[in-house]
Amino acid sequence: MVNFTIEEIRKIMDDQDNIRNMSVIAHVDHGKSTLSDALVCKAGIISSKVAGDARYTDTREDEKERGITIKSTGVSMYYKYDLTNSGKPENAREYLINLIDSPGHVDFSSEVTAALRVTDGALVVVDTVEGVSVQTETVLRQAMQEKIKPVLMVNKIDRSILELKLDGEAMYQSFLRVIDMANVTIETYRAEDMGEIQCNPSVGNVAFGSGKDQWAFTLCKFARIYSKKFGISQEKMMDKLWGDNFFDTAAKKWRTDGETSDGKGLRRAFAQFIMDPVCKMCQSIMEGNTEQYEKMLKSLEVDLTQE
């Protein structure tokens, strides 16, 4: 069921500060259309049962037959979000998101340029297994030429969890490789007047998730949870959850060298507090262990499947 009315869409059109025009760009088959389906599903436009296979933004018959996006297609979505995370409905702000799903094939690069010229930002989707590919670099270069600031979506991490069976540390290294490669391309073609536009999970412009399974997260979500438990600010917690930061549980201290005072190894904070719980949750779902799944959700205090 659609989560908004025509009147709500028309009303928010007058509030330009809360309008977001966004292009989804990526290499072919990295999950742009599937991720777009997930976002359209979140807005209530299509059912979650068909999202992922619906290819809602592929409206042409030849697109459906070939399974690729040929023409850029736009869709408007109404979304409410509480930036303060207070949980109170009255604190939620209304947003109008105009999303354009653009092609990933090199033959249709002109469609990507046309989409970028009418949007404020670019959502760059990268397959975590395949990494930054040739067309990823091409669309990033196009975004830099149009002076469009990118945000990064590291997609298909369910493959790393369930197919490759990587642990939290291995997944961190994989994510780091993807982000560094994207940043190299961004820095190469960035105009000087664009300012600092590097993708960094610590500032909240990198998301990790699975478009097919319709869930994703940023460090912001976990920082809100753990900042209360550790008694530090959310901004500091985000810095701790990425990079060479390790928490010594016995000494209750943060370390950067990865070892305790007596030389024992420590788990990286990103692996220990984020990826290990996420991996356990995914494995519990696949094994049908609903009791362990519900216990994990309670301990995390967040339902990742609804993000």
Side-chain angles (χ1 to χ4, degrees), residues 54-65:
R55 301 188 69 92
Y56 181 81
T57 52
D58 290 347
T59 56
R60 294 166 44 130
E61 288 300 323
D62 51 355
E63 289 178 321
K64 296 176 181 178
E65 290 175 2

Side-chain angles (χ1 to χ4, degrees), residues 137-150 181-199 205:
E137 297 180 4
T138 301
V139 295
L140 275 172
R141 184 176 69 249
Q142 289 175 279
M144 296 301 100
Q145 290 172 345
E146 302 300 331
K147 295 187 177 181
I148 298 296
K149 293 185 178 181
M181 291 178 67
N183 282 332
V184 167
T185 304
I186 291 171
E187 192 62 29
T188 301
Y189 299 105
R190 175 181 65 89
E192 293 183 1
D193 59 352
M194 292 182 70
E196 180 57 48
I197 58 172
Q198 292 276 294
C199 293
N205 60 5

